[in-house]
Amino acid sequence: MSWDFYQCLVNDKPASIYLNLGLASRVPLAGYPELFYLRIPMCQPREDGLSSQAEFETLNQIENKVVEALTADNKMIYVGRLTSDGCRDLFFYSSSDDIDEEALELSLNDFSEYAWEGGINPDPEWEMYFQLLMPSETQLESIKNRRVCDAMADKGEAFTTLREIMHWAYFATETAASEYAAKAQATGYQVLGTQLQDNDDERYCVQVSNIGIPSHQQIDEYTLPLFMAAAELGGRYDGWESAVKTM
């Protein structure tokens, strides 16, 4: 996974986070121990503190200009942004605490109506990336779901027809697999069977299904209970699939 976004609460307020998920398996990067943030109060935020459509293009232009200026010499890596409480915060990791203020100010020259503030602090373990920007495992599952739905939409999916949605989960023990199947059945899923695998760590594969519309609005409702149930039993939910139904 690379760049993606998700919505959540930060300090009990609605937030939208956009980040480079592709860095997660490679960080912290020893050569970039300093965290630099740039906070830009929005001029036309929505009532809930998120960005409005009226300001969308301007905020994107600001972000692109700033990122281009600060990462041009590879002294900084742009890792993500947080939009919440009427502000947009951009986060970078830097090789030093010496910020090219001239380049930063030049990048913002065309946006004089926007105030901004910034700061830099040591963060060699990349705690901000992991603790603020990174989604939880459940949120990451929702991101994966949205990507599958997007792919279905690209193939002409109309999201209007009920159909079978199949799910898989893997477990090390027969007991855990049986408990999972029982939980799934008790909450309305049909258990299609359990197959033995060659992998001792995931010896048992449980397949279940439900009838529904795998839309962006509904798919989390079908999948997240199965995802959490598998995790509680020490197993792994391995996703879902469904036939594409066009108009």
Side-chain angles (χ1 to χ4, degrees):
M1 303 184 77
S2 52
W3 286 88
D4 215 318
F5 72 94
Y6 67 102
Q7 294 189 328
C8 59
L9 294 176
V10 173
N11 296 326
D12 297 322
K13 295 181 179 180
S16 176
I17 292 177
Y18 177 68
L19 79 158
N20 188 344
L21 288 166
L23 287 172
S25 62
R26 302 190 285 118
V27 299
L29 298 176
Y32 297 87
E34 303 286 334
L35 172 72
F36 174 71
Y37 76 91
L38 181 71
R39 169 162 291 181
I40 303 168
M42 293 182 284
C43 294
Q44 298 174 277
R46 297 182 345 192
E47 289 186 5
D48 61 4
L50 298 179
S51 59
S52 65
Q53 191 61 37
E55 209 170 6
F56 179 82
E57 287 298 333
T58 302
L59 291 173
N60 280 349
Q61 290 173 16
I62 293 173
E63 180 178 355
N64 291 338
K65 289 280 190 180
V66 170
V67 170
E68 181 181 7
L70 295 184
T71 63
D73 56 6
N74 293 319
K75 290 183 179 179
M76 282 193 178
I77 297 174
Y78 179 49
V79 298
R81 71 173 186 240
L82 164 67
T83 305
S84 184
D85 197 21
C87 292
R88 173 157 289 183
D89 296 340
L90 309 182
F91 295 94
F92 301 78
Y93 278 91
S94 175
S95 59
S96 74
D97 59 4
D98 183 21
I99 304 302
D100 189 343
E101 295 185 11
E102 182 178 351
L104 177 58
E105 291 177 358
L106 185 62
S107 71
L108 292 164
N109 274 351
D110 293 335
F111 309 99
S112 57
E113 68 274 28
Y114 287 87
W116 58 272
E117 62 179 90
I120 191 161
N121 297 289
D123 187 11
E125 298 302 318
W126 286 45
E127 293 181 7
M128 182 66 74
Y129 176 85
F130 287 111
Q131 295 180 10
L132 176 64
L133 297 178
M134 271 294 289
S136 68
E137 291 298 321
T138 302
Q139 290 164 335
L140 188 57
E141 195 66 22
S142 292
I143 291 172
K144 293 177 182 177
N145 285 341
R146 189 184 69 244
R147 288 185 169 188
V148 175
C149 289
D150 287 347
M152 294 177 71
D154 288 343
K155 294 179 179 179
E157 170 63 52
F159 299 113
T160 57
T161 305
L162 291 168
R163 84 293 302 265
E164 185 177 39
I165 304 170
M166 293 178 291
H167 314 262
W168 290 264
Y170 291 84
F171 303 89
T173 69
E174 184 176 7
T175 298
S178 296
E179 288 186 32
Y180 181 80
K183 283 188 175 185
Q185 189 169 35
T187 52
Y189 297 87
Q190 180 182 1
V191 178
L192 302 179
T194 300
Q195 292 84 36
L196 289 176
Q197 309 296 306
D198 291 334
N199 185 348
D200 287 341
D201 293 332
E202 296 184 338
R203 184 73 169 165
Y204 300 88
C205 172
V206 181
Q207 184 178 7
V208 305
S209 71
N210 70 290
I211 301 298
I213 299 174
S215 66
H216 293 81
Q217 295 78 19
Q218 294 173 278
I219 194 62
D220 282 354
E221 175 186 342
Y222 304 144
T223 61
L224 294 187
L226 294 173
F227 172 83
M228 291 184 285
E232 288 169 2
L233 292 167
R236 179 177 65 88
Y237 176 73
D238 194 39
W240 59 278
E241 71 175 36
S242 183
V244 172
K245 302 288 187 181
T246 59
M247 291 292 289

